[in-house]
């Protein structure tokens, strides 16, 4: 009689003592969707580069007052002694030197580096605030419309279509000057916070529709799922079903929408300031800085390139990180 038990067709089957144990660390480990997303992001070089770039821009914007103290120059300080009689900066490449890292702004004599730092601060504050409010409003409208359906869905869908029908830039050209004229007279000094606040309001009014449509479509596929039926059967209220059962299953598309909405709002804010209806003097802004540089594109091309490249890198970093985040949260992605 052998030690091992006889298997089919006379083959010897190893006893439990003879079986090889599993190699430590090789066992199957289940991962949650969030863990899988973080693992994909850690492996994505594009996500790393764009994420680090965004962190650098965010730190520059947050630490703008500290940078001003260390740099020794403010956004409104003028250095007219560094300009020639025509108002152009003295020296090479727009007056770049150890004292002025990115040169001097023509005619006004302001330091371009500190203007860009505070311009980043303005753009990020407006875009991020508007993006957060837009997502909140769009999610609430979308989740209510998708879950309740019927007349509520019809009314909210009609409101969405009506908002999408408005031409955004034409509305801005009409609304912003009227809103300013209603609050300030011809000789009154406009508060520096008023234009950014107006832009945030306009962005929220026009941009909630995209997140609302996305969330509504997701809720239509989730509202008949078993966990929602179980919550309703247990007597859960409307708020519990909407925000405790459905909302946790919508974070992936919400995060992707948010990450891609921010660069769109940064571009829109810069475009409105470039056209003269956004942020005005004396508040620093990237769009207005680019607008001011157009008149000096031939005499001082470095001035034009500095603001344009900064805005380009900021928007590009947000778009690349948003694409990487979308791939990481996609359960069908093989990355």
């Amino acid at each position: 009689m052998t030690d091992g038990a006889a298997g089919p067709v006379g083959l010897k089957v190893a006893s439990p003592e003879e079986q090889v144990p599993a190699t430590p660390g090789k066992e199957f480990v289940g991962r949650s969707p969030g863990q899988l997303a973080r693992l994909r992001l850690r492996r994505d070089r594009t996500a790393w580069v764009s994420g680090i770039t965004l962190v650098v821009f965010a730190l520059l914007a947050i630490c703008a007052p500290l940078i001003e103290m260390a740099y020794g120059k403010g956004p409104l300080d003028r250095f007219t002694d560094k300009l020639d009689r025509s108002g152009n900066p003295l020296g090479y490449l727009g007056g770049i030197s150890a004292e002025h890292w990115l040169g001097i702004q023509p005619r006004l004599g302001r330091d371009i580096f500190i203007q860009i730092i505070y311009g980043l601060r303005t753009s990020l504050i407006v875009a991020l605030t508007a993006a957060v409010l837009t997502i909140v409003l769009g999610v609430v409208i979308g989740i209510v419309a998708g879950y309740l359906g019927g007349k509520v869905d019809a009314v909210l869908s009609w409101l969405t279509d009506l908002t999408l029908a408005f031409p955004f830039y034409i509305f801005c050209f009409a609304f912003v000057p009227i809103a300013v004229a209603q609050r300030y007279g011809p000789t009154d000094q406009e508060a520096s916070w008023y234009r950014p606040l107006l832009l945030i309001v306009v962005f929220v009014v026009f941009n909630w529709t995209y997140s609302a449509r996305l969330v509504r479509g997701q809720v239509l596929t989730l509202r008949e799922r078993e966990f929602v039926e179980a919550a309703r059967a247990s007597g859960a209220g409307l708020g519990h079903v909407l925000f405790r059962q459905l909302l946790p299953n919508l974070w992936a598309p919400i995060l992707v929408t948010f990450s891609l909405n921010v660069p769109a709002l940064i571009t829109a804010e810069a475009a409105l300031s470039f056209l003269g209806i956004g942020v005005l003097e004396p508040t620093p802004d990237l769009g207005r800085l680019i607008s001011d540089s157009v008149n000096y594109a031939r005499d001082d091309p470095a001035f034009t390139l500095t603001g344009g490249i900064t805005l380009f890198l900021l928007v590009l970093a947000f778009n690349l990180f948003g694409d990487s985040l979308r791939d990481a949260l996609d359960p069908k992605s093989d990355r």
Side-chain angles (χ1 to χ4, degrees), residues 22-33 35-36 39 42-43:
T23 304
K26 297 295 185 179
E27 64 274 5
F28 177 79
V29 178
R31 294 187 177 94
S32 67
Q35 291 174 328
L36 290 174
L39 181 61
R42 285 199 296 266
R43 294 175 176 174

Side-chain angles (χ1 to χ4, degrees), residues 134-175:
T134 295
I135 285 293
V136 171
L137 181 60
V139 167
V140 171
I141 292 177
I143 200 172
V144 170
Y147 181 75
L148 295 181
K151 294 182 178 180
V152 174
D153 185 23
V155 171
L156 293 178
S157 297
W158 176 84
L159 180 61
T160 301
D161 294 335
L162 180 65
T163 305
L164 288 171
F166 274 91
F168 172 72
Y169 286 102
I170 294 178
F171 178 85
C172 290
F173 272 102
F175 171 75

Side-chain angles (χ1 to χ4, degrees), residues 71-96:
Y71 190 55
K73 303 170 187 65
L76 301 182
D77 295 341
R78 299 194 177 193
F79 304 90
T80 54
D81 58 317
K82 303 296 179 66
L83 303 177
D84 60 19
R85 294 181 178 180
S86 301
N88 294 321
L90 298 172
Y92 298 100
L93 297 177
I96 293 178

Side-chain angles (χ1 to χ4, degrees), residues 245-270:
Q245 299 296 328
L246 290 173
L247 185 59
N249 292 277
L250 300 171
W251 282 119
I254 290 174
L255 287 175
V256 173
T257 302
F258 176 82
S259 64
L260 295 177
N261 196 25
V262 173
L265 292 175
I266 292 175
T267 304
E269 186 275 328

Side-chain angles (χ1 to χ4, degrees), residues 57-58 60-62 64 75 114-130 192-193 195-197 199-200 203 265-266 269-270 273 278-288 311 314:
F57 279 132
L60 290 175
I62 293 172
I114 201 67
Q115 284 279 316
I116 286 179
I117 296 298
Y118 274 92
L120 282 172
R121 185 184 181 95
T122 302
S123 296
L124 288 176
I125 288 176
V126 172
L128 290 175
T129 304
S192 60
W193 54 265
R195 292 270 180 159
L197 180 62
L199 294 182
I200 291 173
F203 290 155
L265 292 175
I266 292 175
E269 186 275 328
S273 298
V279 179
L280 301 179
E281 291 281 2
T283 305
D285 183 82
L286 292 179
R288 198 187 67 250
L311 182 62
L314 179 62

